Amino acid sequence: MTSTATAPVPAMVRLSAGLLGNPSFRRAFGGFKGTRARLQGAQPTGPQPGRNGVYRLDKPGKPGKLPRIWLTEPGPEGREYCAVYPSGPDKGGLKAEELGERCFAEGLSAAAVADGALRIQCFQAAEICFLHAATRAKVRLAVIYRDDLCCGGSWFLGRHPRRTLAARASALLREAAGEGSAEACWLLADAEGVSRYWALRAVKLAGADEWQQGSAWLRFARAAEAQAQDLAGIALAQESYGRAARALGACVEEGNWHAKRFAVEAEASRRRMEQELFWA
């Protein structure tokens, strides 16, 4: 973690959260706006309005215990405190997962070069939130570790320097796959090089979710093509690519532009398999 990330939360912010509740709750109901404006000037390094980082951490009270995390969001004059976790009961880690997803999305949207430091801090904050969310966020944590999105500054590496991120990512994906996650299965199919076994499990677990269906069928089709020995194998790959293209195409029509690249790949591969069958 960077030194700015582990700096103590300003005393006024902590006092405000204790007396007035979660800052995001106050904002949602339009209360205590003046208080929030005053908090912005109370920084660990002196009064620097709008110079907050993405997050601050409390020091863990016990060995192995996750710290409380204080999150900020972009405001008119810079980043402002918006939420603290934990701040009350959170059965199943739903709130922690929601906060983690928000940080994760901001990290993905930050430019890798121009906003490199911001991007890393967003993923560091997401990791802490997902760790708080426990079993609900194993796949997201695996992606953070697999791609080292924290650039060596993850909480996990700080506590377990002798372990590798790749091994932790694989372990998390296998745990999530065992708990019925289709996404974990098709990510394992990628990690193990077009694994037909994990792709088939992903297909069976995808359910009605078109993004999961399309992603699973695309991995299965890649594996079927790689292992095709005859016309029947090519036909299976063509059919699977077609299923993937239809599901991913539906995602694109619903506004999921992340699926567009995969939908194009699936349709192009389906046509390639069709040509191979025609000329066979």
Side-chain angles (χ1 to χ4, degrees), residues 201-221:
R201 285 200 62 182
V203 167
K204 293 179 178 179
L205 292 170
D209 187 307
E210 290 177 328
W211 165 247
Q212 298 298 337
Q213 282 185 13
S215 299
W217 277 113
L218 179 59
R219 272 67 179 184
F220 183 81

PDB file of all heavy atoms in Angstrom, residues 201-221:
ATOM      1  N   ARG A 201     -18.568 -26.954 -17.832  1.00  0.00           N
ATOM      2  CA  ARG A 201     -19.165 -26.640 -16.528  1.00  0.00           C
ATOM      3  C   ARG A 201     -19.774 -25.240 -16.542  1.00  0.00           C
ATOM      4  O   ARG A 201     -20.833 -25.005 -15.968  1.00  0.00           O
ATOM      5  CB  ARG A 201     -18.109 -26.742 -15.429  1.00  0.00           C
ATOM      6  CG  ARG A 201     -17.727 -28.154 -15.056  1.00  0.00           C
ATOM      7  CD  ARG A 201     -17.070 -28.209 -13.685  1.00  0.00           C
ATOM      8  NE  ARG A 201     -17.974 -27.752 -12.631  1.00  0.00           N
ATOM      9  CZ  ARG A 201     -17.633 -27.660 -11.350  1.00  0.00           C
ATOM     10  NH1 ARG A 201     -16.393 -27.960 -10.980  1.00  0.00           N
ATOM     11  NH2 ARG A 201     -18.485 -27.248 -10.449  1.00  0.00           N
ATOM     12  N   ALA A 202     -19.084 -24.309 -17.190  1.00  0.00           N
ATOM     13  CA  ALA A 202     -19.597 -22.943 -17.280  1.00  0.00           C
ATOM     14  C   ALA A 202     -20.916 -22.912 -18.041  1.00  0.00           C
ATOM     15  O   ALA A 202     -21.857 -22.214 -17.646  1.00  0.00           O
ATOM     16  CB  ALA A 202     -18.567 -22.041 -17.957  1.00  0.00           C
ATOM     17  N   VAL A 203     -20.996 -23.672 -19.121  1.00  0.00           N
ATOM     18  CA  VAL A 203     -22.234 -23.735 -19.912  1.00  0.00           C
ATOM     19  C   VAL A 203     -23.392 -24.243 -19.058  1.00  0.00           C
ATOM     20  O   VAL A 203     -24.506 -23.706 -19.097  1.00  0.00           O
ATOM     21  CB  VAL A 203     -22.038 -24.645 -21.146  1.00  0.00           C
ATOM     22  CG1 VAL A 203     -23.380 -24.970 -21.791  1.00  0.00           C
ATOM     23  CG2 VAL A 203     -21.115 -23.967 -22.159  1.00  0.00           C
ATOM     24  N   LYS A 204     -23.139 -25.262 -18.251  1.00  0.00           N
ATOM     25  CA  LYS A 204     -24.187 -25.856 -17.431  1.00  0.00           C
ATOM     26  C   LYS A 204     -24.633 -24.933 -16.301  1.00  0.00           C
ATOM     27  O   LYS A 204     -25.780 -25.004 -15.845  1.00  0.00           O
ATOM     28  CB  LYS A 204     -23.707 -27.190 -16.855  1.00  0.00           C
ATOM     29  CG  LYS A 204     -23.497 -28.273 -17.918  1.00  0.00           C
ATOM     30  CD  LYS A 204     -22.996 -29.562 -17.290  1.00  0.00           C
ATOM     31  CE  LYS A 204     -22.838 -30.650 -18.346  1.00  0.00           C
ATOM     32  NZ  LYS A 204     -22.327 -31.916 -17.758  1.00  0.00           N
ATOM     33  N   LEU A 205     -23.719 -24.045 -15.841  1.00  0.00           N
ATOM     34  CA  LEU A 205     -24.030 -23.169 -14.712  1.00  0.00           C
ATOM     35  C   LEU A 205     -24.519 -21.786 -15.133  1.00  0.00           C
ATOM     36  O   LEU A 205     -24.969 -21.006 -14.289  1.00  0.00           O
ATOM     37  CB  LEU A 205     -22.777 -22.993 -13.831  1.00  0.00           C
ATOM     38  CG  LEU A 205     -22.294 -24.228 -13.067  1.00  0.00           C
ATOM     39  CD1 LEU A 205     -20.925 -23.960 -12.442  1.00  0.00           C
ATOM     40  CD2 LEU A 205     -23.299 -24.621 -11.986  1.00  0.00           C
ATOM     41  N   ALA A 206     -24.446 -21.479 -16.422  1.00  0.00           N
ATOM     42  CA  ALA A 206     -24.721 -20.108 -16.881  1.00  0.00           C
ATOM     43  C   ALA A 206     -26.150 -19.658 -16.641  1.00  0.00           C
ATOM     44  O   ALA A 206     -26.413 -18.471 -16.442  1.00  0.00           O
ATOM     45  CB  ALA A 206     -24.372 -19.982 -18.364  1.00  0.00           C
ATOM     46  N   GLY A 207     -27.102 -20.580 -16.693  1.00  0.00           N
ATOM     47  CA  GLY A 207     -28.500 -20.206 -16.470  1.00  0.00           C
ATOM     48  C   GLY A 207     -29.029 -19.305 -17.568  1.00  0.00           C
ATOM     49  O   GLY A 207     -28.671 -19.429 -18.737  1.00  0.00           O
ATOM     50  N   ALA A 208     -29.863 -18.336 -17.190  1.00  0.00           N
ATOM     51  CA  ALA A 208     -30.507 -17.469 -18.176  1.00  0.00           C
ATOM     52  C   ALA A 208     -29.713 -16.195 -18.450  1.00  0.00           C
ATOM     53  O   ALA A 208     -30.113 -15.381 -19.282  1.00  0.00           O
ATOM     54  CB  ALA A 208     -31.916 -17.100 -17.691  1.00  0.00           C
ATOM     55  N   ASP A 209     -28.612 -15.990 -17.762  1.00  0.00           N
ATOM     56  CA  ASP A 209     -27.803 -14.787 -17.948  1.00  0.00           C
ATOM     57  C   ASP A 209     -27.096 -14.860 -19.302  1.00  0.00           C
ATOM     58  O   ASP A 209     -26.224 -15.709 -19.520  1.00  0.00           O
ATOM     59  CB  ASP A 209     -26.781 -14.675 -16.820  1.00  0.00           C
ATOM     60  CG  ASP A 209     -26.021 -13.365 -16.843  1.00  0.00           C
ATOM     61  OD1 ASP A 209     -25.455 -13.022 -17.897  1.00  0.00           O
ATOM     62  OD2 ASP A 209     -25.983 -12.674 -15.801  1.00  0.00           O
ATOM     63  N   GLU A 210     -27.447 -13.959 -20.231  1.00  0.00           N
ATOM     64  CA  GLU A 210     -26.918 -14.038 -21.589  1.00  0.00           C
ATOM     65  C   GLU A 210     -25.423 -13.744 -21.662  1.00  0.00           C
ATOM     66  O   GLU A 210     -24.717 -14.299 -22.501  1.00  0.00           O
ATOM     67  CB  GLU A 210     -27.695 -13.084 -22.503  1.00  0.00           C
ATOM     68  CG  GLU A 210     -29.125 -13.562 -22.751  1.00  0.00           C
ATOM     69  CD  GLU A 210     -29.926 -12.598 -23.584  1.00  0.00           C
ATOM     70  OE1 GLU A 210     -29.678 -11.375 -23.478  1.00  0.00           O
ATOM     71  OE2 GLU A 210     -30.803 -13.055 -24.330  1.00  0.00           O
ATOM     72  N   TRP A 211     -24.920 -12.865 -20.783  1.00  0.00           N
ATOM     73  CA  TRP A 211     -23.484 -12.598 -20.773  1.00  0.00           C
ATOM     74  C   TRP A 211     -22.715 -13.843 -20.342  1.00  0.00           C
ATOM     75  O   TRP A 211     -21.711 -14.211 -20.963  1.00  0.00           O
ATOM     76  CB  TRP A 211     -23.174 -11.426 -19.846  1.00  0.00           C
ATOM     77  CG  TRP A 211     -21.732 -11.299 -19.480  1.00  0.00           C
ATOM     78  CD1 TRP A 211     -21.163 -11.478 -18.255  1.00  0.00           C
ATOM     79  CD2 TRP A 211     -20.641 -10.982 -20.366  1.00  0.00           C
ATOM     80  NE1 TRP A 211     -19.800 -11.296 -18.304  1.00  0.00           N
ATOM     81  CE2 TRP A 211     -19.446 -10.990 -19.586  1.00  0.00           C
ATOM     82  CE3 TRP A 211     -20.553 -10.705 -21.728  1.00  0.00           C
ATOM     83  CZ2 TRP A 211     -18.199 -10.720 -20.140  1.00  0.00           C
ATOM     84  CZ3 TRP A 211     -19.301 -10.441 -22.277  1.00  0.00           C
ATOM     85  CH2 TRP A 211     -18.152 -10.448 -21.491  1.00  0.00           C
ATOM     86  N   GLN A 212     -23.212 -14.511 -19.290  1.00  0.00           N
ATOM     87  CA  GLN A 212     -22.555 -15.736 -18.839  1.00  0.00           C
ATOM     88  C   GLN A 212     -22.710 -16.850 -19.873  1.00  0.00           C
ATOM     89  O   GLN A 212     -21.756 -17.610 -20.130  1.00  0.00           O
ATOM     90  CB  GLN A 212     -23.127 -16.176 -17.484  1.00  0.00           C
ATOM     91  CG  GLN A 212     -22.916 -15.187 -16.353  1.00  0.00           C
ATOM     92  CD  GLN A 212     -21.458 -14.928 -16.048  1.00  0.00           C
ATOM     93  OE1 GLN A 212     -20.582 -15.750 -16.350  1.00  0.00           O
ATOM     94  NE2 GLN A 212     -21.165 -13.790 -15.451  1.00  0.00           N
ATOM     95  N   GLN A 213     -23.878 -16.948 -20.477  1.00  0.00           N
ATOM     96  CA  GLN A 213     -24.101 -17.952 -21.521  1.00  0.00           C
ATOM     97  C   GLN A 213     -23.132 -17.757 -22.681  1.00  0.00           C
ATOM     98  O   GLN A 213     -22.458 -18.695 -23.119  1.00  0.00           O
ATOM     99  CB  GLN A 213     -25.535 -17.856 -22.054  1.00  0.00           C
ATOM    100  CG  GLN A 213     -26.594 -18.481 -21.184  1.00  0.00           C
ATOM    101  CD  GLN A 213     -27.953 -18.424 -21.861  1.00  0.00           C
ATOM    102  OE1 GLN A 213     -28.054 -18.134 -23.054  1.00  0.00           O
ATOM    103  NE2 GLN A 213     -28.994 -18.695 -21.106  1.00  0.00           N
ATOM    104  N   GLY A 214     -23.100 -16.518 -23.187  1.00  0.00           N
ATOM    105  CA  GLY A 214     -22.241 -16.240 -24.336  1.00  0.00           C
ATOM    106  C   GLY A 214     -20.773 -16.466 -24.031  1.00  0.00           C
ATOM    107  O   GLY A 214     -20.035 -17.037 -24.844  1.00  0.00           O
ATOM    108  N   SER A 215     -20.337 -16.028 -22.853  1.00  0.00           N
ATOM    109  CA  SER A 215     -18.932 -16.206 -22.467  1.00  0.00           C
ATOM    110  C   SER A 215     -18.589 -17.684 -22.335  1.00  0.00           C
ATOM    111  O   SER A 215     -17.509 -18.131 -22.748  1.00  0.00           O
ATOM    112  CB  SER A 215     -18.662 -15.483 -21.143  1.00  0.00           C
ATOM    113  OG  SER A 215     -18.898 -14.096 -21.268  1.00  0.00           O
ATOM    114  N   ALA A 216     -19.511 -18.457 -21.758  1.00  0.00           N
ATOM    115  CA  ALA A 216     -19.269 -19.893 -21.581  1.00  0.00           C
ATOM    116  C   ALA A 216     -19.238 -20.623 -22.927  1.00  0.00           C
ATOM    117  O   ALA A 216     -18.336 -21.439 -23.187  1.00  0.00           O
ATOM    118  CB  ALA A 216     -20.354 -20.482 -20.680  1.00  0.00           C
ATOM    119  N   TRP A 217     -20.214 -20.328 -23.790  1.00  0.00           N
ATOM    120  CA  TRP A 217     -20.250 -20.995 -25.094  1.00  0.00           C
ATOM    121  C   TRP A 217     -19.037 -20.619 -25.952  1.00  0.00           C
ATOM    122  O   TRP A 217     -18.526 -21.448 -26.717  1.00  0.00           O
ATOM    123  CB  TRP A 217     -21.541 -20.657 -25.844  1.00  0.00           C
ATOM    124  CG  TRP A 217     -22.697 -21.508 -25.441  1.00  0.00           C
ATOM    125  CD1 TRP A 217     -23.822 -21.128 -24.790  1.00  0.00           C
ATOM    126  CD2 TRP A 217     -22.830 -22.924 -25.659  1.00  0.00           C
ATOM    127  NE1 TRP A 217     -24.661 -22.199 -24.575  1.00  0.00           N
ATOM    128  CE2 TRP A 217     -24.079 -23.315 -25.107  1.00  0.00           C
ATOM    129  CE3 TRP A 217     -22.038 -23.892 -26.265  1.00  0.00           C
ATOM    130  CZ2 TRP A 217     -24.532 -24.630 -25.141  1.00  0.00           C
ATOM    131  CZ3 TRP A 217     -22.492 -25.214 -26.298  1.00  0.00           C
ATOM    132  CH2 TRP A 217     -23.721 -25.566 -25.740  1.00  0.00           C
ATOM    133  N   LEU A 218     -18.564 -19.394 -25.828  1.00  0.00           N
ATOM    134  CA  LEU A 218     -17.380 -18.986 -26.588  1.00  0.00           C
ATOM    135  C   LEU A 218     -16.170 -19.813 -26.166  1.00  0.00           C
ATOM    136  O   LEU A 218     -15.399 -20.278 -27.015  1.00  0.00           O
ATOM    137  CB  LEU A 218     -17.112 -17.491 -26.372  1.00  0.00           C
ATOM    138  CG  LEU A 218     -15.893 -16.915 -27.090  1.00  0.00           C
ATOM    139  CD1 LEU A 218     -16.015 -17.103 -28.605  1.00  0.00           C
ATOM    140  CD2 LEU A 218     -15.722 -15.437 -26.749  1.00  0.00           C
ATOM    141  N   ARG A 219     -15.992 -20.024 -24.862  1.00  0.00           N
ATOM    142  CA  ARG A 219     -14.867 -20.843 -24.392  1.00  0.00           C
ATOM    143  C   ARG A 219     -15.020 -22.294 -24.831  1.00  0.00           C
ATOM    144  O   ARG A 219     -14.054 -22.949 -25.224  1.00  0.00           O
ATOM    145  CB  ARG A 219     -14.753 -20.774 -22.865  1.00  0.00           C
ATOM    146  CG  ARG A 219     -13.918 -19.627 -22.359  1.00  0.00           C
ATOM    147  CD  ARG A 219     -14.529 -18.289 -22.630  1.00  0.00           C
ATOM    148  NE  ARG A 219     -13.728 -17.191 -22.109  1.00  0.00           N
ATOM    149  CZ  ARG A 219     -14.126 -15.921 -22.173  1.00  0.00           C
ATOM    150  NH1 ARG A 219     -15.285 -15.592 -22.715  1.00  0.00           N
ATOM    151  NH2 ARG A 219     -13.345 -14.968 -21.701  1.00  0.00           N
ATOM    152  N   PHE A 220     -16.257 -22.801 -24.761  1.00  0.00           N
ATOM    153  CA  PHE A 220     -16.480 -24.184 -25.185  1.00  0.00           C
ATOM    154  C   PHE A 220     -16.190 -24.331 -26.679  1.00  0.00           C
ATOM    155  O   PHE A 220     -15.599 -25.329 -27.120  1.00  0.00           O
ATOM    156  CB  PHE A 220     -17.922 -24.599 -24.884  1.00  0.00           C
ATOM    157  CG  PHE A 220     -18.210 -26.029 -25.222  1.00  0.00           C
ATOM    158  CD1 PHE A 220     -17.852 -27.057 -24.358  1.00  0.00           C
ATOM    159  CD2 PHE A 220     -18.818 -26.363 -26.426  1.00  0.00           C
ATOM    160  CE1 PHE A 220     -18.096 -28.381 -24.677  1.00  0.00           C
ATOM    161  CE2 PHE A 220     -19.072 -27.682 -26.751  1.00  0.00           C
ATOM    162  CZ  PHE A 220     -18.714 -28.704 -25.876  1.00  0.00           C
ATOM    163  N   ALA A 221     -16.604 -23.339 -27.471  1.00  0.00           N
ATOM    164  CA  ALA A 221     -16.369 -23.396 -28.913  1.00  0.00           C
ATOM    165  C   ALA A 221     -14.881 -23.366 -29.232  1.00  0.00           C
ATOM    166  O   ALA A 221     -14.403 -24.094 -30.116  1.00  0.00           O
ATOM    167  CB  ALA A 221     -17.076 -22.223 -29.594  1.00  0.00           C
TER     168      ALA A 221
END
